[in-house]
Amino acid sequence: MAAVEELFLGFDLSTQQFKVVCIDAGQNLVHQNQVQFDVELPEFRTQGGVHVRADGLTVTSPVLMWIKALDLLLDKMKAAGFQFSRVRALSGCGQQHGSVYWRRGSAHKLRQLDPELSLHLQLQDCFSVSDCPVWMDSSTGAECQRLEAQVGGAHRLACITGSRAYERFTGNQIAKLARDQVQAFQNTERISLVSSFAASLFLGDFAAIDWSDGSGMNLLDIRARAWSETCMDATAPHLDALLGVPCHPVTVLGSISSYLVQRFGFGADCKVVAFTGDNPASLAGMMLQKGDVAVSLGTSDTVFLSIETPQANLDGHVFCNPVEPESYMALLCFKNASLTRERIRNKCSGASWELFSAALEETLPGNHGHIGFYFDSWEITPPAVGVHLFDAEDREVSSLSPQLEVRALVEGQFLSRRLHAEKLGYSGTAGSRVWATGGGSSNPALLQVLANVFKAPVYTIDVPNSACLGAAYRALHGELGPDVSFFSAVKDCRKHRLMATPDPAASQVYDRMLQRLARLEERVLLKSHPSVP
């Protein structure tokens, strides 16, 4: 009788849906499924998977909706004939910075689940907070200021945790809850991230927070890979007990719960590998190696790096690397991205991407000294707003010709991506590659500028559901154990295509422009923050 091929599951509890992909031992896609919160669970009345309060700052999601979504997702897989008994290991990820507050007594309930009943019916009373803060929440400004002041400033906090204080980061959300909902905080037995909460549902017990997702809390010392006592003391009392001990990203937390074995037919020896955040899982899905940079050109532009040594920076984030845990990953997010490119396309190129690309191809690298900063809304990196155009003499001007403006936009955006990536550890050494994803990665003219600016060949990669796929890869890796490297366990199955190679002469132009852009960016920052001395 032929051996039954083993399967590996990757789950993703994101903002708007709960997804799963299944791969076999050869990394072939076997099954995928999803539950859309707004559409399939309308009783929770979410929009985009969240509730936005009247203040416009407080954004939450119902924890019971997430549990009911898992019930529905597993039922869908069962109805499709999925063979749960073949699953050797599973892992997953969750939207970063969300948090879940388990009520006292919940651990006992998790361990005593009745396989005849759904999860959401049995766990509906297990949470001291029913609507949990998620990454879109920006209501913790006071807590951020307090944390930075008590730790010794934004730079000191970034040195410890990899990031300055951010309103969406979990430590600041916990601090606000401890202050504003005293009774709920006192009734809390365990605090999970979205990722470790999801892992707990599969494990049938509280799951540890892994180092990578824990790096997005303003609480983890990313070098020691342990909770920072300084940050914990500045946040809330008794956090060490409430958070548990953070774990290595390749930790096998245990075998799947007997509840899921009996209800869905999982094998009793199916391993649950530590879950992580969606950004670290995406890095795993894109199989990013040291020296490479991934640039997602979408509604926002996101830059991922795998780096050896963390560099404290006030604009980006440094997390523990989920696939090479002794290394780090850096992340930068730029709000003004494709929508700004579309606006300039409409203004300067008759709403035509063909004419926009032609303008890039017909103008010279360096743009005759013209540089543009385009921040239609408040930017994250750098924190600035407004459109700022400069001529070759560094004089601010009110307008440029259409062709010059197209190149000023693209060069300004991509030079800014490189400038801030270098601050976080990107070096652009020989052998570096740029992996481009997102809608903008289909434009060869854009990618040629990207290759010239980063001095590296640009490849496009086809990795749909990269976070979910990364979770499945991590399940496969975790089943083999931490003594086997991720890149030995997982072969490179990316569908990639070389789109652009750098022109050495153009790259030299951009090397010179980079320092000038940094200097002009400081002027823009002062203009955006005139009260700052």
Side-chain angles (χ1 to χ4, degrees):
M1 182 182 295
V4 175
E5 189 163 22
E6 297 174 338
L7 302 177
F8 302 87
L9 291 178
F11 292 88
D12 179 13
L13 177 44
S14 65
T15 311
Q16 300 187 52
Q17 56 195 346
F18 210 146
K19 295 177 285 192
V20 63
V21 300
C22 179
I23 60 173
D24 61 22
Q27 296 167 227
N28 302 297
L29 185 64
V30 174
H31 179 86
Q32 54 187 333
N33 224 315
Q34 63 185 19
V35 172
Q36 296 280 348
F37 300 146
D38 293 359
V39 175
E40 298 180 72
L41 297 169
E43 64 269 29
F44 293 98
R45 300 182 178 181
T46 57
Q47 292 186 327
V50 301
H51 293 146
V52 180
R53 304 292 172 83
D55 62 7
L57 301 175
T58 305
V59 184
T60 60
S61 290
V63 64
L64 198 60
M65 177 182 73
W66 294 337
I67 299 174
K68 197 168 184 179
L70 179 58
D71 284 329
L72 182 54
L73 183 60
L74 293 173
D75 284 340
K76 280 185 168 186
M77 295 172 71
K78 184 176 182 179
F82 184 79
Q83 296 178 287
F84 293 98
S85 61
R86 293 171 57 192
V87 178
R88 180 62 178 163
L90 63 87
S91 189
C93 60
Q95 52 177 295
Q96 284 203 270
H97 318 303
S99 47
V100 175
Y101 302 82
W102 297 89
R103 189 189 299 274
R104 292 186 183 277
S106 296
H108 177 76
K109 177 71 91 172
L110 273 172
R111 297 171 191 139
Q112 304 295 325
L113 293 170
D114 182 347
E116 297 299 317
L117 300 174
S118 63
L119 282 171
H120 78 274
L121 288 176
Q122 298 183 77
L123 298 178
Q124 59 186 331
D125 297 322
C126 284
F127 304 97
S128 52
V129 178
S130 59
D131 264 37
C132 298
V134 293
W135 66 273
M136 297 169 67
D137 187 276
S138 57
S139 65
T140 62
E143 285 73 23
C144 290
Q145 292 178 18
R146 189 176 302 113
L147 175 62
E148 288 184 350
Q150 293 188 26
V151 169
H155 188 269
R156 176 60 182 155
L157 182 63
C159 286
I160 298 170
T161 71
S163 303
R164 65 174 175 84
Y166 281 90
E167 292 178 327
R168 65 188 182 275
F169 274 37
T170 320
N172 305 305
Q173 297 290 346
I174 293 170
K176 182 188 175 191
L177 186 134
R179 183 195 69 190
D180 294 348
Q181 301 183 54
V182 176
Q183 192 63 48
F185 186 77
Q186 291 177 346
N187 288 338
T188 297
E189 179 178 9
R190 184 70 168 250
I191 300 173
S192 294
L193 298 181
V194 175
S195 61
S196 60
F197 155 76
S200 301
L201 300 179
F202 288 97
L203 192 63
D205 204 348
F206 292 148
I209 294 170
D210 90 299
W211 297 340
S212 289
D213 206 7
S215 304
M217 300 175 71
N218 281 144
L219 291 176
L220 188 82
D221 183 328
I222 61 171
R223 290 170 176 79
R225 290 161 172 83
W227 302 125
S228 161
E229 290 186 17
T230 301
C231 297
M232 299 270 274
D233 291 345
T235 299
H238 314 302
L239 274 189
D240 52 348
L242 290 173
L243 293 174
V245 178
C247 71
H248 190 293
V250 196
T251 299
V252 174
L253 300 172
S255 298
I256 199 164
S257 72
S258 60
Y259 168 84
L260 292 173
V261 171
Q262 295 174 64
R263 187 170 176 87
F264 290 100
F266 280 96
D269 60 349
C270 173
K271 296 176 181 178
V272 178
V273 179
F275 285 32
T276 192
D278 53 1
N279 289 311
S282 288
L283 181 137
M286 291 187 287
M287 304 192 70
L288 209 63
Q289 301 186 46
K290 293 185 190 71
D292 292 352
V293 58
V295 181
S296 177
L297 300 170
T299 304
S300 61
D301 284 355
T302 307
V303 176
F304 289 92
L305 302 166
S306 179
I307 58 176
E308 197 71 49
T309 304
Q311 305 290 331
N313 184 276
L314 300 185
D315 294 330
H317 311 292
V318 178
F319 301 150
C320 294
N321 192 309
V323 298
E324 298 178 285
E326 302 310 312
S327 299
Y328 299 87
M329 65 170 284
L331 183 151
L332 290 158
C333 188
F334 302 86
K335 187 187 297 183
N336 295 279
S338 68
L339 296 181
T340 305
R341 290 189 285 270
E342 289 173 14
R343 181 178 70 78
I344 298 301
R345 176 204 64 182
N346 296 343
K347 174 188 174 185
C348 300
S349 305
S352 165
W353 282 120
E354 289 76 13
L355 293 177
F356 183 93
S357 298
L360 279 178
E361 291 165 349
E362 293 166 6
T363 49
L364 293 173
N367 209 24
H368 301 289
H370 298 93
I371 292 180
F373 296 83
Y374 291 81
F375 306 132
D376 291 348
S377 58
W378 270 100
E379 184 53 85
I380 300 169
T381 309
V385 71
V387 175
H388 310 269
L389 308 175
F390 296 91
D391 67 13
E393 304 301 323
D394 289 354
R395 294 175 299 214
E396 191 154 6
V397 297
S398 59
S399 64
L400 297 173
S401 70
Q403 279 196 325
L404 290 179
E405 184 156 27
V406 167
R407 183 165 279 276
L409 164 72
V410 174
E411 289 185 342
Q413 286 188 332
F414 290 170
L415 282 165
S416 180
R417 309 307 183 246
R418 177 181 157 188
L419 174 69
H420 292 282
E422 287 187 353
K423 290 181 179 180
L424 286 174
Y426 177 74
S427 59
T429 55
S432 293
R433 297 166 295 179
V434 177
W435 300 96
T437 66
S441 66
S442 63
N443 187 318
L446 275 180
L447 299 186
Q448 185 60 59
V449 179
L450 188 66
N452 292 339
V453 167
F454 276 83
K455 301 190 295 185
V458 173
Y459 297 83
T460 54
I461 49 175
D462 180 16
V463 187
N465 296 322
S466 61
C468 213
L469 184 62
Y473 288 167
R474 294 185 65 256
L476 192 158
H477 180 211
E479 197 275 330
L480 295 175
D483 292 336
V484 178
S485 77
F486 176 80
F487 295 104
S488 296
V490 180
K491 63 183 179 181
D492 190 346
C493 292
R494 290 174 295 191
K495 296 178 181 177
H496 60 271
R497 180 182 173 193
L498 177 63
M499 295 295 292
T501 55
D503 177 339
S507 294
Q508 287 180 8
V509 171
Y510 292 131
D511 281 343
R512 294 191 295 269
M513 285 183 69
L514 194 67
Q515 296 309 311
R516 181 170 168 239
L517 179 121
R519 186 174 68 252
L520 291 174
E521 185 180 278
E522 291 298 322
R523 283 174 57 180
V524 170
L525 285 169
L526 287 173
K527 192 171 182 179
S528 297
H529 304 271
S531 61
V532 177

